Amino acid sequence: MARKTIVITGASDGIGAAAARELAAAGHEVVVVGRDPDRTRSVAEELDAEHHVADFTRLDDVRALAAALAGAHRRIDVLANNAGGFNDRRSVTPDGHERTFQVNHLAPFLLTTLLMDTLVESVASVITTSSVAARRARVDLDDLDSGHGYSAHGAYGASKLENILFTRELHRRYHRRGISTATFHPGGVATSFATDADHLWGRVYRSPLGRRVMIGPERGADTLVWLAEGTAGEDWVSGQYWVKRRIARTNPLAADRDLARGLWEASAAMVEE
């Protein structure tokens, strides 16, 4: 198997760290990206890997990360947009966007588009961690920052549907130039996700019962590792949503080309300097 350069965001914990460990053990060059300096450094040192610290609530951090990655790597074979979060109350980032929307969608959108030249030259795969929460979500192009009638679950589900829409629009725009895309649901994983939230999901993630019924990070990372190591067109189909290494059904809105195009254009306008 050819050695790949694989950038994983959200790799200081959970399925990102688990995927980084497995891919590094398989001989790939893994680049660890995380928000927490100590945990990010710890995972990177364990793997003898390059690492970068970036807070996705700050788009300038994303711009700096993209510049650092492009400067350090002539080739990036896989960009795994895995960083994400859940917030139980509406808050606004320093960039003026609703936090869940920015961290889960807008920041990875910006990172991917800033790295596009490198990704195209590398004939890269862009893999994004989504969720079954997208299934009943809605995306309002006129209110992407959830300024009206905010719901924590609604904002999270919308961001996960946006991940799928982004994946499909990225495929439509760039697959002919060599980019392959995939998004996936890792399952209910026992990680630190949402554990600080004063909300139903936070209570579930903190509870002993929740920990018993959830899968471990290694199992949650399985589809990410499989996609990263595989070859689009041979092992998997570009532009699709995956669960347990299989193409899965999701929200019918994920197939709305006008919605996907509109989200791309709105996102590009939001990150334009």
Side-chain angles (χ1 to χ4, degrees):
M1 182 180 297
R3 186 172 190 257
K4 295 183 179 183
T5 298
I6 303 173
V7 177
I8 308 177
T9 69
S12 62
D13 194 9
I15 68 169
R21 291 184 177 102
E22 186 165 346
L23 290 165
H28 300 290
E29 178 187 5
V30 174
V31 181
V32 176
V33 179
R35 183 183 65 176
D36 183 274
D38 293 336
R39 289 191 299 179
T40 304
R41 186 185 311 109
S42 176
V43 172
E45 288 177 350
E46 173 190 341
L47 305 179
D48 192 23
E50 175 186 339
H51 75 280
H52 299 269
V53 176
D55 183 347
F56 278 16
T57 66
R58 297 180 179 274
L59 293 181
D60 280 347
D61 272 23
V62 180
R63 295 184 178 99
L65 171 63
L69 290 170
H73 300 279
R74 294 185 60 185
R75 182 177 188 87
I76 296 174
D77 298 288
V78 179
L79 171 61
N81 288 316
N82 173 68
F86 174 88
N87 302 281
D88 58 340
R89 294 180 179 84
R90 187 179 188 275
S91 62
V92 176
T93 70
D95 300 288
H97 300 293
E98 191 273 323
R99 183 185 180 101
T100 301
F101 168 70
Q102 178 166 321
V103 170
N104 292 1
H105 166 70
L106 196 60
F109 172 87
L110 176 59
L111 179 62
T112 304
T113 53
L114 288 175
L115 289 173
M116 195 60 69
D117 288 345
T118 301
L119 296 172
V120 168
E121 290 179 10
S122 306
V123 193
S125 297
V126 178
I127 303 167
T128 302
T129 304
S130 183
S131 169
V132 71
R135 187 174 295 172
R136 296 185 179 181
R138 295 290 182 269
V139 171
D140 184 351
L141 295 179
D142 295 321
D143 189 25
L144 291 172
D145 285 315
S146 302
H148 305 286
Y150 179 80
S151 156
H153 289 284
Y156 180 76
S159 73
K160 297 292 101 179
L161 175 55
E162 287 155 4
N163 292 154
I164 303 173
L165 290 165
F166 164 66
T167 291
R168 293 187 171 173
E169 184 66 6
L170 181 61
H171 169 87
R172 188 186 72 81
R173 290 176 181 244
Y174 286 95
H175 189 58
R176 290 183 180 179
R177 297 180 61 186
I179 298 292
S180 297
T181 71
T183 187
F184 74 101
H185 169 54
V189 184
T191 70
S192 60
F193 171 82
T195 51
D196 294 332
D198 185 20
H199 206 282
L200 175 61
W201 284 5
R203 292 193 290 272
V204 170
Y205 272 78
R206 289 191 296 267
S207 71
L209 176 61
R211 293 285 169 166
R212 283 199 296 271
V213 301
M214 291 178 185
I215 63 176
E218 292 75 17
R219 284 180 59 192
D222 176 74
T223 299
L224 171 54
V225 171
W226 173 71
L227 290 166
E229 289 200 296
T231 301
E234 297 179 12
D235 303 305
W236 51 271
V237 180
S238 178
Q240 298 299 316
Y241 169 73
W242 299 83
V243 178
K244 296 181 179 178
R245 301 191 182 190
R246 295 183 179 181
I247 296 173
R249 296 177 62 183
T250 185
N251 194 320
L253 290 173
D256 188 327
R257 294 187 177 184
D258 291 336
L259 183 60
R261 184 180 298 109
L263 175 64
W264 183 289
E265 292 171 353
S267 300
M270 286 178 167
V271 299
E272 185 177 1
E273 291 187 289

